[in-house]
């Protein structure tokens, strides 16, 4: 079963994540940051990865620790659920249109974390979420998930659409990359025989 549970507890946050790669996109998300909840719900729904996230953080200071640690915990759960990555397609990409915005996301479940982020926002906040934290969430998620991840807004003006297209694009790319390839279900998708490092 490609499932995982992760608990991350620090002096700044307490986070519990449950994840099922072979789900139907069922979610229950509570981070204390409404817009982040909305984005993680989109991630689950469009990737078909079942996701439960319960996060309590030091929001009286700011959102940084909660956003960062949520990304780290979900990425860790993804890597744990993937195990040795046998049989996965590994690579996938998606174009994510949302009204006037078009975003491209490409992912390689390589075991080598790397983020290329090319998205800009014209306002500092969406709801109560600082827009500078979107890049930080993606970086944290790629780091512990072991993902090479490229996110690029090709064009767009509405800040809500830019953020949502990035998460939906990630969802669609992940859906393809974690899928088991029936032609190579017994093999690690690498000529090295291992992924990572």
């Amino acid at each position: 079963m490609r499932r995982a549970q992760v608990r991350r507890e620090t002096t700044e946050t307490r986070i519990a994540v449950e994840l099922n790669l072979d789900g139907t996109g069922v979610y229950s998300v509570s981070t204390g940051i409404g817009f982040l909840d909305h984005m993680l719900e989109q991630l689950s729904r469009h990737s078909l990865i079942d996701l439960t996230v319960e996060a309590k953080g030091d929001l009286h200071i700011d959102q940084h620790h909660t956003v960062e640690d949520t990304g780290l915990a979900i990425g860790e759960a993804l890597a744990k659920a993937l195990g040795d990555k046998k049989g996965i397609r590994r690579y996938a990409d998606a174009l994510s249109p949302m009204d006037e915005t078009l975003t491209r996301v490409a992912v390689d479940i390589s075991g080598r974390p790397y983020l290329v982020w090319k998205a800009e926002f014209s306002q500092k906040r969406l709801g109560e979420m600082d827009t500078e934290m979107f890049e930080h969430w993606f970086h944290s998620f790629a780091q512990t998930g072991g993902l090479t991840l490229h996110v690029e807004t090709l064009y767009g003006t509405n800040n809500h659409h830019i953020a949502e297209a990035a998460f939906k694009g990630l969802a669609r790319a992940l859906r393809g990359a974690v899928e088991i390839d029936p032609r190579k279900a017994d093999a690690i998708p690498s000529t090295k025989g291992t992924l990572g490092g």
Side-chain angles (χ1 to χ4, degrees):
M1 299 297 289
R2 301 195 305 160
R3 299 172 182 257
Q5 295 183 349
V6 167
R7 298 190 80 82
R8 179 181 176 85
E9 296 193 11
T10 71
T11 57
E12 299 162 342
T13 60
R14 294 191 317 278
I15 299 172
V17 172
E18 294 183 25
L19 181 149
N20 176 9
L21 295 179
D22 301 308
T24 58
V26 174
Y27 54 80
S28 174
V29 177
S30 177
T31 66
I33 305 169
F35 200 90
L36 180 59
D37 289 354
H38 180 47
M39 293 300 98
L40 296 180
E41 290 165 358
Q42 299 298 328
L43 177 64
S44 173
R45 174 65 183 86
H46 294 283
S47 66
L48 300 184
I49 296 172
D50 293 347
L51 182 64
T52 300
V53 180
E54 288 291 332
K56 302 288 185 189
D58 54 2
L59 295 177
H60 63 286
I61 296 175
D62 68 8
Q63 302 167 350
H64 188 280
H65 300 139
T66 301
V67 173
E68 177 180 56
D69 288 3
T70 300
L72 290 171
I74 297 172
E76 183 181 344
L78 175 73
K80 191 174 176 183
L82 283 166
D84 65 4
K85 306 178 183 74
K86 187 178 288 185
I88 64 169
R89 294 189 185 275
R90 177 179 167 180
Y91 294 96
D93 60 83
L95 285 172
S96 178
M98 191 162 186
D99 295 352
E100 86 302 337
T101 297
L102 182 64
T103 298
R104 175 173 53 212
V105 178
V107 64
D108 173 13
I109 304 177
S110 60
R112 297 183 307 277
Y114 198 91
L115 174 67
V116 174
W117 177 265
K118 294 186 177 182
E120 294 182 4
F121 296 91
S122 61
Q123 59 191 71
K124 292 184 177 180
R125 305 190 101 189
L126 281 170
E128 73 278 22
M129 185 161 177
D130 299 328
T131 51
E132 70 174 4
M133 294 310 300
F134 291 117
E135 179 179 4
H136 196 55
W137 186 91
F138 275 78
H139 180 268
S140 300
F141 176 69
Q143 181 181 352
T144 53
L147 308 175
T148 298
L149 183 57
H150 292 243
V151 180
E152 182 178 14
T153 303
L154 301 176
Y155 45 83
T157 55
N158 182 286
N159 288 266
H160 187 127
H161 295 167
I162 290 168
E164 191 161 337
F167 277 88
K168 285 180 174 176
L170 173 62
R172 296 294 297 188
L174 275 178
R175 180 175 171 178
V178 304
E179 195 172 65
I180 299 296
D181 186 341
R183 295 188 298 166
K184 279 290 188 180
D186 61 341
I188 305 290
S190 172
T191 55
K192 291 186 283 191
T194 184
L195 287 170

